[in-house]
Amino acid sequence: MTNEQSAWPDEHISLEAALRWVASACACEINTPEILQTKQWGVTARFGSVVLKASFTPLFPQVTAVHTLLERIVPKGGPRLIASEMVDGQLWTLFEYIQGATAEEVGTLGALEATARELARVQAAVAKLDLTGLPVFDVHRVPGVLLEDDLSDQPVELVQWLRDAQPSLQLDAEALVDIPLSIDHPDVNPSNAIILNEGRAILLDWEEAIVSCPLFSLDRLLDDAHKLSAVETVVDVYLDTLRAGGLEQVERAMRLVPLKLAHEFRA
């Protein structure tokens, strides 16, 4: 991952307080952290065998429920969640550190295929579980969800295009209703997949996951597949593992997902 800044963000979170919290959660001594990522929303840092994510605002309150589901499937679907706590209005979460190269670092088509296969495996397994308690984004809402917002900050032509496109977009949504609901990971990309020694991938950053059409999760992964001229291959691997939907439904989902992501960004 690329750091936006290398210094610990002391103006938002005390390093001393973070060290105490991590040490308490792990019941062990903790050394100076390796900062993996700092962004406007928070900081991600490795403390030896664990990774702390501290969001300066409680962006992802569903993190515990998501990881409870991931730990119910075999093999588990993500890094083990060790601790999660609201600290002075900030959401602090602690995960096990997963050793290995990211799919981005491996840089091969095989790594992308492993990422797609693991995404579909997790989604197929989670679809059979009780998803109560997780936020849900009804696929029927996606075509018109932006029109529910105040779009006065957007070009008039763009808003009119969105209104005119509603009949076509609604047909896309209707074509997805038969896909079993599962968790939708909005940031599946090669930097969020660790390739294990046996070749299987494990996905990171499930905190933003919600319940929706699982096909939406292919969005960023297919951008990377396109760079390798491997979109069809990655889609085939994904659908063969998910065992739901087909190429036409993937194409329809990819037409809708920018609207969903734009709504989430504005929110």
Side-chain angles (χ1 to χ4, degrees):
M1 293 183 225
T2 301
N3 293 347
E4 293 181 5
Q5 62 183 64
S6 57
W8 183 268
D10 282 302
E11 68 276 18
H12 294 292
I13 176 174
S14 162
L15 176 56
E16 183 179 348
L19 285 166
R20 286 198 304 268
W21 187 80
V22 173
S24 175
C26 295
C28 62
E29 292 187 9
I30 298 297
N31 297 321
T32 303
E34 172 193 355
I35 298 177
L36 302 177
Q37 188 179 67
T38 56
K39 290 190 173 183
Q40 289 184 337
W41 61 262
V43 60
T44 304
R46 177 186 175 189
F47 294 77
S49 63
V50 296
V51 173
L52 169 70
K53 287 190 174 183
S55 59
F56 306 145
T57 56
L59 291 174
F60 316 121
Q62 68 267 30
V63 57
T64 300
V66 169
H67 278 270
T68 297
L69 287 175
L70 296 177
E71 295 204 12
R72 288 182 60 191
I73 65 177
V74 180
K76 63 184 179 181
R80 181 171 65 92
L81 176 63
I82 298 169
S84 179
E85 184 179 353
M86 289 293 300
V87 180
D88 297 329
Q90 300 177 347
L91 179 61
W92 293 9
T93 51
L94 194 67
F95 299 91
E96 67 172 328
Y97 174 73
I98 303 295
Q99 187 71 42
T102 66
E104 181 179 48
E105 291 167 337
V106 174
T108 64
L109 175 56
L112 280 186
E113 290 177 339
T115 303
R117 188 177 295 110
E118 176 65 5
L119 172 64
R121 182 192 74 84
V122 171
Q123 291 177 321
V126 168
K128 301 173 184 177
L129 302 178
D130 182 4
L131 302 178
T132 303
L134 288 177
V136 179
F137 202 142
D138 185 350
V139 69
H140 286 105
R141 280 191 64 210
V142 176
V145 68
L146 284 174
L147 296 176
E148 299 172 9
D149 294 343
D150 177 7
L151 297 180
S152 59
D153 60 331
Q154 298 298 313
V156 173
E157 297 82 0
L158 179 61
V159 176
Q160 188 58 51
W161 172 87
L162 183 56
R163 295 186 189 281
D164 293 343
Q166 286 302 296
S168 175
L169 294 171
Q170 288 292 347
L171 289 176
D172 289 335
E174 286 296 330
L176 301 180
V177 295
D178 291 336
I179 307 293
L181 292 178
S182 186
I183 48 177
D184 166 27
H185 187 320
D187 194 18
V188 179
N189 70 84
S191 69
N192 276 339
I194 300 294
I195 305 300
L196 304 178
N197 288 335
E198 64 268 28
R200 184 175 74 85
I202 188 165
L203 301 182
L204 311 178
D205 286 4
W206 284 99
E207 295 78 52
E208 298 176 70
I210 59 172
V211 175
S212 192
C213 176
L215 303 185
F216 290 150
S217 302
L218 282 173
D219 176 51
R220 291 197 61 187
L221 189 61
L222 294 187
D223 284 344
D224 288 281
H226 179 73
K227 298 171 186 175
L228 296 178
S229 300
V231 170
E232 183 177 350
T233 299
V234 171
V235 169
D236 285 347
V237 167
Y238 175 82
L239 292 176
D240 285 348
T241 307
L242 187 69
R243 297 191 177 278
L247 179 59
E248 179 185 347
Q249 286 163 307
V250 170
E251 292 172 346
R252 290 179 180 272
M254 293 306 98
R255 286 197 288 268
L256 291 175
V257 74
L259 303 177
K260 170 183 166 291
L261 294 176
H263 167 72
E264 291 171 345
F265 178 80
R266 290 173 66 87

